[in-house]
Amino acid sequence: MSDTKTNPRGDERSDLGEAGAQLSTAPQEESAGAVPALGVLGWFRWFWRQLTSMRVALLLLLLLSLGAIPGSLIPQQGTDELKVQDFKDTHTTLAPLYEKLGLFHVYSSVWFSAIYILLFISLIGCIVPRTWQFVGQLRGRPPAAPKRLTRLPAYTTWRTDASPEQVDEAALALLKRRRFRSHQVGGAVSAEKGYLREAGNLVFHVALIVMLIAFAAGQLFKSEGGKLIMEGDGFSNTLTQYDDFKSGNLFDLADLEPFSFKLDRFEGSYEVTGPQRGTARTFKAHVTYSEGADGPEKKKVVEVNKPLEINGTKVYLVGHGYAPKVTVRDGRGKVVYSASVPLLPIDSMGTATGAIKVLDGYRDKNGKPEQLGFNAFFVPTFAGDGMGQMFSQFPAPINPRIALSAYHGSLGVDSGVPQNVYQLDTRKMQKFKDANGELFKKRLKIGETMKLPNGAGSITFEKELKQWASFQISQEPGSGWALGGAVAAIAGLAGSLFIQRRRVWVRAQRGADGVTVVEMAGLGRSESAKVAEELAALAAELHDRAPSSPEAERTELGTEPEPEPGPEADAKPEPGPEADAKPEPGSQPGPAPESAAAPDGGTDRTAATDAPGPAAEDDTVDSAAMDATDAKGAGDPAAKGSAPSGKGAPAPPSGTDPASETTDPTPDVVPAEGAEK
């Protein structure tokens, strides 16, 4: 994305020329008052610049996030058709409006797709030019030093007896050892570091594109279905075997991975005491599976978040319940139905509901074919008679009960309208009635039988109680790419936030008095104290190789060799007219300005930077700063005869340990004129 953040030091950096440019690959934006050129091409260029700007990309990301909210709150077609229909039946006013806005299919709606595509184009339009620009910067070299290093945010200087060639050689070796890209150009050493910042920025944007592509591919080519399997039963990965199935628009049924598996048994154990009573401790499905049409059988334990994976298709364990076995007989005692009926749990303790449907084989006492239906309510652990409502007290089958209510007539399965197998449609059925004329119902223990009124037959709760497990079979081809893109995006964002791109210049020139003047300066993409800290460390190490000249420092500070101890040693010089005198241009600096101490304990930087030499015209400071320095030195007689410790070297930067100030000869790194502190 284009970086539109303005730099408060933009005017100063423009004065630095090439040295202050290209610290990032963000394109330069036109001023807010600029009017695009007339014509189709001009308007297209203006629209393209707006689309690839950071503010528009952030706006599109925000709109994409907001658009996903109704997709989470409103039932979606293709995910749960029954909930969608229930919502439409309940909200007769809102449903037509939601239908027109596409809120029942948010992720395939026109407006959501438009946001998605615009964000995709914005990212690509930003990355391509910035990538080529970044490659060009990697192939190039750090720019030459600006004429006036004092304008840079971090700056230091000292004088040394080493030759300029020795200083340049030591600076090159030091910067290369610190992993700076460095070379010598224009009489100075130029170095740059922190390219990974921009690389991280580009990686972040590329990772976003990868994630968008992966999500799009996942939605277009995915398949997802559910299957409830009882112990002893199996599943084959074909469309007819699914209880429910949905897929992407570009999915082909031929892409279903051929495999099959059988649920051998379900294993579950639960907490029996404490506040977590009833919480599952083990929740496992033991299965036997085979790959392909006739592959060898293998054993596998499927757990929550530990799916069975077969060539990119994952089988997740998502639910569990009970399937009590019932036997239905007609009035003559003939068995017309016998099966384990899975019931759906409605709470965490295993309370479940369902329906038992006898479609064929049953005849009433007159021999007329008829259908039977029973509403079933099951609890694995019954609290006992008179202990409140019939809800399970524990999810394990400790004291199971089943409550049944009976109907006869037509179940409506021949109408052509699909039905929920776990619900009983009683619109075309009649109630079996008890002696009071109420709906006939009864609660049964294992092994008990409920006899229907008027000799219509019976239903028995058998001793066999099976368990079932529900599985979700998913095939998402883009999930791996999405995960890789997310990890890369986090890594790239961390690099762009915590790595700073910065440049360092070292210039060494011989002055008119034969002493070499060393200048070091640093510049970062953004204002940061770390640039000055790093420059201080580099200057300290370079100072060890090219130490300050003792003779030069004594000359600059106006000191003489220490006299013998005597009464005159402690006498302070009287201020005189010479204190206010300013040095003539081109003459040696006088003792007053050069010996003035900086407020933070270091020496005055101006005196050190104004040594006469070839670069004097470019590197001189403002006259106002010089006058202020002269006045400070003249008005402080105590400072005239003072000299920092460390053999005449400038004192370390402020904030260091006072104990080290008397021994550390490192130069002082201070902000240059006009720089923000």
Side-chain angles (χ1 to χ4, degrees):
M1 285 174 281
S2 303
D3 189 359
T4 61
K5 182 177 67 175
T6 59
N7 192 339
R9 295 184 55 85
D11 295 338
E12 293 187 16
R13 292 195 178 189
S14 62
D15 294 340
L16 300 177
E18 187 68 19
Q22 294 185 354
L23 272 173
S24 76
T25 57
Q28 297 293 330
E29 285 201 352
E30 298 177 355
S31 61
V35 179
L38 297 177
V40 177
L41 182 60
W43 281 104
F44 177 79
R45 291 181 59 189
W46 178 85
F47 177 78
W48 180 255
R49 285 181 178 273
Q50 299 305 312
L51 182 60
T52 57
S53 65
M54 175 179 285
R55 58 176 173 268
V56 172
L58 291 177
L59 179 61
L60 290 173
L61 279 174
L62 177 62
L63 291 177
L64 198 68
S65 302
L66 293 176
I69 295 177
S72 303
L73 300 179
I74 301 174
Q76 297 294 293
Q77 294 176 350
T79 301
D80 197 331
E81 298 289 349
L82 293 176
K83 287 186 177 180
V84 172
Q85 188 60 44
D86 290 342
F87 186 92
K88 291 181 178 180
D89 296 339
T90 305
H91 304 85
T92 55
T93 303
L94 288 177
L97 178 61
Y98 285 4
E99 188 72 37
K100 292 180 179 179
L101 295 176
L103 297 183
F104 291 119
H105 49 91
V106 168
Y107 304 109
S108 59
S109 63
V110 175
W111 56 268
F112 191 86
S113 301
I115 298 174
Y116 194 92
I117 294 173
L118 286 175
L119 178 60
F120 192 80
I121 296 174
S122 177
L123 290 173
I124 294 179
C126 178
I127 289 174
V128 172
R130 294 184 68 169
T131 300
W132 286 115
Q133 186 177 352
F134 182 60
V135 170
Q137 292 181 13
L138 290 178
R139 298 177 61 184
R141 290 187 174 186
K147 293 182 179 181
R148 300 183 63 182
L149 292 179
T150 55
R151 282 187 170 274
L152 298 181
Y155 174 83
T156 187
T157 183
W158 71 93
R159 293 158 63 89
T160 180
D161 288 335
S163 65
E165 293 77 12
Q166 292 175 334
V167 175
D168 291 343
E169 182 180 354
L172 277 172
L174 169 62
L175 293 170
K176 288 182 178 179
R177 190 171 70 253
R178 293 292 190 94
R179 297 190 301 276
F180 279 84
R181 292 181 59 192
S182 55
H183 70 121
Q184 193 169 0
V185 58
V189 175
S190 300
E192 190 168 358
K193 191 178 183 180
Y195 288 91
L196 287 179
R197 176 189 179 94
E198 192 62 29
N201 193 11
L202 293 175
V203 167
F204 172 74
H205 289 77
V206 172
L208 287 181
I209 292 181
V210 172
M211 292 173 63
L212 290 175
I213 295 176
F215 289 147
Q219 292 296 319
L220 292 174
F221 296 97
K222 75 172 184 178
S223 67
E224 184 177 285
K227 180 64 177 179
L228 186 148
I229 305 175
M230 287 189 294
E231 291 176 331
D233 292 345
F235 168 80
S236 179
N237 192 26
T238 59
L239 182 61
T240 57
Q241 290 281 299
Y242 283 93
D243 293 334
D244 59 84
F245 183 84
K246 59 180 181 291
S247 61
N249 294 333
L250 300 182
F251 179 79
D252 189 352
L253 292 177
D255 295 333
L256 286 173
E257 186 66 27
F259 68 89
S260 61
F261 68 92
K262 182 181 71 172
L263 176 61
D264 298 327
R265 63 185 178 89
F266 180 85
E267 178 184 354
S269 62
Y270 310 90
E271 292 286 348
V272 296
T273 58
Q276 300 295 325
R277 184 176 184 272
T279 303
R281 299 180 60 185
T282 58
F283 202 81
K284 303 177 181 178
H286 298 262
V287 301
T288 301
Y289 74 97
S290 60
E291 302 179 25
D294 53 357
E297 292 187 346
K298 302 176 184 179
K299 298 288 186 179
K300 174 72 175 181
V301 177
V302 182
E303 302 180 56
V304 177
N305 296 327
K306 294 182 180 179
L308 168 65
E309 186 170 0
I310 304 174
N311 296 331
T313 300
K314 295 182 179 180
V315 180
Y316 295 92
L317 174 63
V318 295
H320 158 260
Y322 294 96
K325 184 177 181 179
V326 295
T327 299
V328 179
R329 294 176 172 85
D330 60 12
R332 293 171 295 177
K334 179 183 177 182
V335 176
V336 295
Y337 181 87
S338 181
S340 295
V341 182
L343 305 177
L344 297 182
I346 59 175
D347 62 20
S348 60
M349 292 298 175
T351 304
T353 62
I356 302 172
K357 301 179 182 181
V358 181
L359 302 178
D360 301 311
Y362 176 79
R363 295 178 180 270
D364 60 12
K365 61 182 180 180
N366 299 321
K368 181 181 178 181
E370 200 172 24
Q371 294 177 337
L372 298 180
F374 301 88
N375 280 321
F377 194 89
F378 174 81
V379 291
T381 301
F382 181 54
D385 294 331
M387 300 296 291
Q389 295 180 344
M390 186 177 171
F391 282 95
S392 179
Q393 304 300 305
F394 196 72
I398 298 175
N399 186 22
R401 291 286 192 280
I402 187 170
L404 300 172
S405 57
Y407 296 83
H408 63 97
S410 174
L411 293 170
V413 295
D414 300 327
S415 62
V417 179
Q419 288 187 356
N420 190 332
V421 295
Y422 304 103
Q423 293 180 351
L424 189 65
D425 185 1
T426 60
R427 290 177 296 180
K428 297 182 179 181
M429 304 193 76
Q430 299 176 359
K431 301 176 182 178
F432 281 105
K433 297 181 180 180
D434 58 13
N436 298 323
E438 301 293 335
L439 174 65
F440 186 77
K441 54 187 177 180
K442 189 175 182 181
R443 186 166 56 220
L444 304 177
K445 294 190 289 187
I446 288 182
E448 289 187 341
T449 299
M450 181 179 77
K451 293 185 179 180
L452 300 176
N454 302 322
S458 65
I459 180 171
T460 303
F461 182 16
E462 303 291 349
K463 295 182 178 180
E464 184 179 1
L465 180 62
K466 288 187 176 183
Q467 299 185 79
W468 57 261
S470 60
F471 297 89
Q472 178 179 301
I473 299 92
S474 301
Q475 185 174 346
E476 298 179 356
S479 58
W481 285 97
L483 176 61
V487 173
I490 294 174
L493 183 61
S496 63
L497 291 177
F498 298 109
I499 298 175
Q500 184 176 17
R501 191 169 174 187
R502 62 272 193 201
R503 290 170 179 163
V504 173
W505 291 276
V506 181
R507 176 182 288 151
Q509 293 179 334
R510 193 179 300 277
D513 57 355
V515 179
T516 301
V517 179
V518 181
E519 292 181 288
M520 292 187 68
L523 176 66
R525 179 180 175 183
S526 59
E527 301 297 335
S528 173
K530 293 183 179 180
V531 176
E533 293 174 2
E534 185 174 33
L535 184 67
L538 292 171
E541 191 167 348
L542 183 59
H543 184 270
D544 293 339
R545 301 188 179 190
S548 298
S549 171
E551 292 296 331
E553 292 296 333
R554 279 197 292 269
T555 303
E556 292 175 357
L557 297 174
T559 60
E560 298 294 338
E562 295 183 1
E564 294 294 331
E568 298 80 10
D570 298 329
K572 296 182 179 179
E574 294 293 331
E578 296 79 8
D580 297 329
K582 297 182 180 179
E584 293 296 329
S587 63
Q588 289 292 340
E594 295 182 0
S595 61
D600 61 354
T603 60
D604 182 65
R605 177 178 53 78
T606 306
T609 57
D610 275 356
E617 182 179 354
D618 293 331
D619 297 332
T620 54
V621 297
D622 297 337
S623 60
M626 177 65 77
D627 294 340
T629 305
D630 293 344
K632 179 176 64 175
D636 188 5
K640 289 185 178 182
S642 63
S645 59
K647 297 182 180 181
S654 59
T656 57
D657 190 351
S660 64
E661 294 182 3
T662 59
T663 57
D664 187 6
T666 56
D668 186 17
V669 180
V670 296
E673 297 172 325
E676 296 180 3
K677 294 184 179 180

